[in-house]
Amino acid sequence: MKKTAILLFCFLVSLSASAQILYEEFNSEKLQETRKLKIQLPRNYDSNTEKVYPIVVVLDADYLFEPVAGNVDYLSYWEDMPESIVVGIMQGEKRYDDCNYDDTNFFPADKGAAFFEFIGLELLPFIDNNYRTAKFTIAVGHDFTANFINYYLFKDPPLFNGYISLSPDLAPLLDERIPQRIPEIESEIFYYLATGTDDIQSLMEVTKLLNAPLQNIDSENFEYYYDNFDGATHYSLVSRGIPNALEKIFSVYRPISKKEYSDVLLKMESPVDEYLKEKYNTIENLFALTNPIRINDFIATATAAEKLKQWESLREIGTMAKKQYPDMNMGDYFLGRYYEEIGEPKKAMRTFQGAFDKEETDFITVDMLLDRADKIKADFGY
């Protein structure tokens, strides 16, 4: 098991090496010192000049940066999350001063207050001004720094959209304050919390204490995820929590899966094309990303529309596919099938024939289109 974990870690590190890793020295007025940053830019960042990217801010980057950056690169390669810019703050032994809080009100104080302002008033504006960023940011922390990222929930609006809190060493009263604060937040918040059965006992207990009220919050703006990993220690839970957190936060971004197709699409009573539109509207609204609809998602929704005999949905999906991918034959195939089913065989035949010189898509081959056209011609004597 240990050998497998090491191999997986090495694999993720090798993946992150294929992205661009930059090393910056940031002179902070708030901290009155220079801080070292690690920044991973997505693959092909330089060539995709119109594309913008969410930001993942990693505290404790001395040891958290590589596992986060590797997972971001890996998951975005397979489209399980959008390509993102990963920004790591090197802290070392300064992490304790950086996370300092007042003994009375338990909010950031002294160096902790300066570090709080450094991230919000200096670091993120610097990243926004120097890189192509989308307006969606995630913070990642572990024990002391996992506690610290929660303070940004109390800004109005909160600084981050997503929070990955790995075995937090919570300040006093924070387990009460966070559940009280969440319902007051009007913006969409994604919150991931993790511990392990072999975590440090006190941290496991306080994490469970925080989980109890969070899981009962009923708010359409709050997406909450919790893991208690069996057999995971304070440190091994990190390697299991990071990919889980990223997958869950970006679940709507993923291509339509077989499970989603069978459990959701095939059971829909509302138009399937509306589901497709809503999926990509949500991606745009949440992550500020205007992605083209994937070929996979066109095929999945069109196939579901056929099985459900939602012919108007099939027409709408075919129209969108033809507009978005004019050189591919799938839009013509969907529209041809629509014309067949509504009793317009001549239009169907001509639509199939008109796509013979277009690029084939998945199972939609030129021979398939021409065979359908020839069958209509023979059946109706055209």
Side-chain angles (χ1 to χ4, degrees):
M1 184 69 183
K2 186 175 181 181
K3 184 177 181 181
T4 302
I6 293 172
L7 289 173
L8 176 60
F9 176 77
C10 293
F11 176 60
L12 291 174
V13 170
S14 69
L15 273 175
S16 66
S18 64
Q20 301 180 57
I21 306 294
L22 307 177
Y23 298 87
E24 296 269 3
E25 290 198 353
F26 189 95
N27 187 18
S28 169
E29 292 184 9
K30 298 293 182 181
L31 295 173
Q32 292 294 298
E33 63 185 36
T34 299
R35 281 299 177 93
K36 293 181 179 180
L37 307 175
K38 283 184 182 180
I39 302 173
Q40 175 177 281
L41 299 181
R43 305 178 185 214
N44 304 315
Y45 176 87
D46 293 333
S47 58
N48 293 334
T49 56
E50 301 301 316
K51 193 170 183 179
V52 296
Y53 304 91
I55 306 169
V56 181
V57 176
V58 184
L59 279 64
D60 279 323
D62 311 78
Y63 66 93
L64 276 187
F65 181 82
E66 279 73 19
V68 173
N71 274 286
V72 167
D73 188 52
Y74 180 81
L75 292 172
S76 61
Y77 181 84
W78 297 110
E79 295 191 291
D80 282 337
M81 68 170 287
E83 292 182 297
S84 302
I85 296 171
V86 183
V87 181
I89 305 170
M90 308 292 282
Q91 292 178 268
E93 291 300 316
K94 293 180 180 179
R95 70 194 299 262
Y96 303 103
D97 291 334
D98 290 343
C99 298
N100 184 50
Y101 53 79
D102 186 86
D103 290 335
T104 304
N105 64 20
F106 309 112
F107 278 100
D110 303 324
K111 188 65 174 292
F115 188 69
F116 182 87
E117 292 188 343
F118 156 67
I119 292 176
L121 299 179
E122 293 183 323
L123 177 63
L124 284 180
F126 169 78
I127 298 300
D128 283 334
N129 290 334
N130 288 275
Y131 302 97
R132 299 191 306 277
T133 59
K135 299 306 177 184
F136 188 85
T137 57
I138 294 175
V140 185
H142 183 220
D143 56 56
F144 288 107
T145 57
N147 172 71
F148 189 83
I149 62 177
N150 287 296
Y151 292 126
Y152 292 103
L153 287 166
F154 296 89
K155 288 182 63 66
D156 195 16
L159 184 64
F160 297 100
N161 309 94
Y163 298 77
I164 300 177
S165 182
L166 304 167
S167 183
D169 190 348
L170 288 180
L173 299 181
L174 211 54
D175 61 305
E176 299 175 13
R177 287 171 167 170
I178 294 171
Q180 291 169 357
R181 169 61 178 154
I182 294 294
E184 300 172 350
I185 300 173
E186 296 181 358
S187 58
E188 190 92 11
I189 295 294
F190 298 82
Y191 196 98
Y192 177 86
L193 180 66
T195 184
T197 58
D198 292 344
D199 195 1
I200 296 169
Q201 186 67 26
S202 60
L203 299 188
M204 179 175 62
E205 289 173 358
V206 77
T207 301
K208 288 181 177 180
L209 198 63
L210 176 59
N211 170 58
L214 288 184
Q215 66 182 351
N216 292 321
I217 292 177
D218 183 16
S219 171
E220 61 181 19
N221 293 329
F222 183 55
E223 297 290 338
Y224 176 63
Y225 318 99
Y226 172 73
D227 279 317
N228 184 4
F229 296 109
D230 186 40
T233 68
H234 183 62
Y235 300 103
S236 66
L237 69 86
V238 169
S239 62
R240 295 165 70 176
I242 290 168
N244 266 25
L246 293 171
E247 282 188 283
K248 289 173 179 176
I249 289 173
F250 291 107
S251 60
V252 71
Y253 182 86
R254 294 200 298 265
I256 294 172
S257 64
K258 290 181 180 179
K259 181 176 174 60
E260 189 176 356
Y261 172 79
S262 59
D263 292 355
V264 180
L265 293 183
L266 292 184
K267 296 179 181 178
M268 290 190 68
E269 295 181 2
S270 56
V272 175
D273 65 286
E274 292 298 328
Y275 181 87
L276 181 63
K277 293 173 186 174
E278 181 62 28
K279 178 181 177 71
Y280 281 84
N281 284 338
T282 301
I283 291 171
E284 182 174 358
N285 292 336
L286 285 181
F287 311 128
L289 301 172
T290 53
N291 289 3
I293 297 174
R294 299 179 184 93
I295 293 171
N296 170 86
D297 293 347
F298 271 127
I299 292 174
T301 50
T303 303
E306 279 194 87
K307 287 187 178 295
L308 295 171
K309 302 187 185 304
Q310 291 189 8
W311 307 124
E312 287 303 316
S313 273
L314 184 60
R315 179 188 63 80
E316 184 64 22
I317 293 167
T319 301
M320 290 191 295
K322 193 167 183 178
K323 181 178 180 180
Q324 196 160 113
Y325 297 97
D327 297 327
M328 303 185 79
N329 65 6
M330 65 177 169
D332 300 273
Y333 173 73
F334 301 150
L335 290 172
R337 286 289 297 119
Y338 162 74
Y339 290 129
E340 278 187 300
E341 294 297 338
I342 66 167
E344 294 195 32
K346 185 173 284 188
K347 280 189 176 181
M349 180 185 71
R350 289 174 177 171
T351 302
F352 290 138
Q353 290 173 335
F356 82 95
D357 61 344
K358 292 186 177 181
E359 183 181 343
E360 295 183 344
T361 313
D362 199 67
F363 65 91
I364 307 169
T365 64
V366 172
D367 288 341
M368 172 196 265
L369 294 173
L370 295 180
D371 286 346
R372 280 192 172 271
D374 289 343
K375 187 176 186 305
I376 294 172
K377 187 174 182 179
D379 289 345
F380 294 91
Y382 294 133

